[in-house]
Amino acid sequence: MVRELEFLLIKPDGVRRGLIGEVIRRLEAKGLRIVGLKMLRLTRECAERLYDVHRGKSFYEGLVEFMSSGPVVAVLVEGDGAVEVVRTMIGPTDGRRAPPGTIRGDYSTSVLENIVHAADSEERAKYEAGIAFDPSCDVHDRAV
Ligand code: IDP
Ligand code: MG
């Protein structure tokens, strides 16, 4: 097995619904190591960069709007096969279709508001962590 980094964001709906602890609890219980943790409110520009692969899609504007609508929690984890492990734990995109036992399956009935984001490769995890842990991406950390 290969030790990997994976990046997650607890989305504004997850924070609003009080699921920060539950998401982190599941990651730790699984045996993943938390190596980075930060609460922030994403600027619109950084939400756009985070979801650059979806630019032009019908849901892109609504997604960027939603992701910058309130505080999020960025989580960097490390573990054997972390990307696949985390993607399996969060479940498919649509909370209505995600099986019980997955984070989305247990807590979401929406395709947009599905509690968590997780990168789909280690390369993307590093790219996305670079955005979320950049102070200039946090509305509250910006000088103006
Ligand atoms: P993922 O989060 O499971 O990787 P992606 O296809 O990468 O799913 O989409 C990124 C995010 O965009 C989703 O988590 C969800 O919040 C939103 N999204 C994806 N497809 C739709 C859609 O058809 N309508 C509304 N929002 C969507
Ligand atoms: Mg994705």
Side-chain angles (χ1 to χ4, degrees):
M1 289 297 271
V2 185
R3 263 158 58 98
E4 243 177 10
L5 282 174
E6 169 64 318
F7 171 76
L8 300 93
L9 264 183
I10 305 174
K11 296 185 177 188
D13 59 322
V15 172
R16 204 164 42 234
R17 289 180 46 199
L19 294 170
I20 298 172
E22 174 61 12
V23 171
I24 291 173
R25 187 198 64 76
R26 287 184 183 219
L27 296 169
E28 288 191 310
K30 182 68 179 171
L32 295 160
R33 206 158 69 87
I34 310 288
V35 294
L37 192 59
K38 178 189 180 185
M39 183 178 240
L40 72 155
R41 172 133 178 220
L42 279 168
T43 65
R44 198 188 160 78
E45 302 76 63
C46 291
E48 286 176 358
R49 275 165 55 203
L50 196 72
Y51 284 111
D52 56 352
V53 294
H54 296 302
R55 193 165 287 143
K57 293 187 186 164
S58 58
F59 59 83
Y60 179 72
E61 276 307 314
L63 176 61
V64 166
E65 191 70 33
F66 167 56
M67 290 302 291
S68 51
S69 70
V72 295
V73 175
V75 188
L76 193 62
V77 299
E78 183 187 66
D80 286 343
V83 172
E84 190 187 347
V85 166
V86 169
R87 293 290 305 199
T88 303
M89 287 176 73
I90 74 172
T93 310
D94 186 344
R96 286 165 291 214
R97 298 213 171 114
T102 64
I103 294 172
R104 287 164 168 175
D106 287 348
Y107 298 113
S108 167
T109 55
S110 164
V111 61
L112 175 64
E113 302 199 5
N114 55 8
I115 313 293
V116 278
H117 162 83
D120 59 14
S121 68
E122 191 182 42
E123 189 190 357
R124 281 296 299 186
K126 288 175 180 168
Y127 168 80
E128 292 168 4
I131 295 171
F133 289 97
D134 175 352
S136 73
C137 279
D138 184 358
V139 169
H140 306 298
D141 264 6
R142 286 161 72 89
V144 279

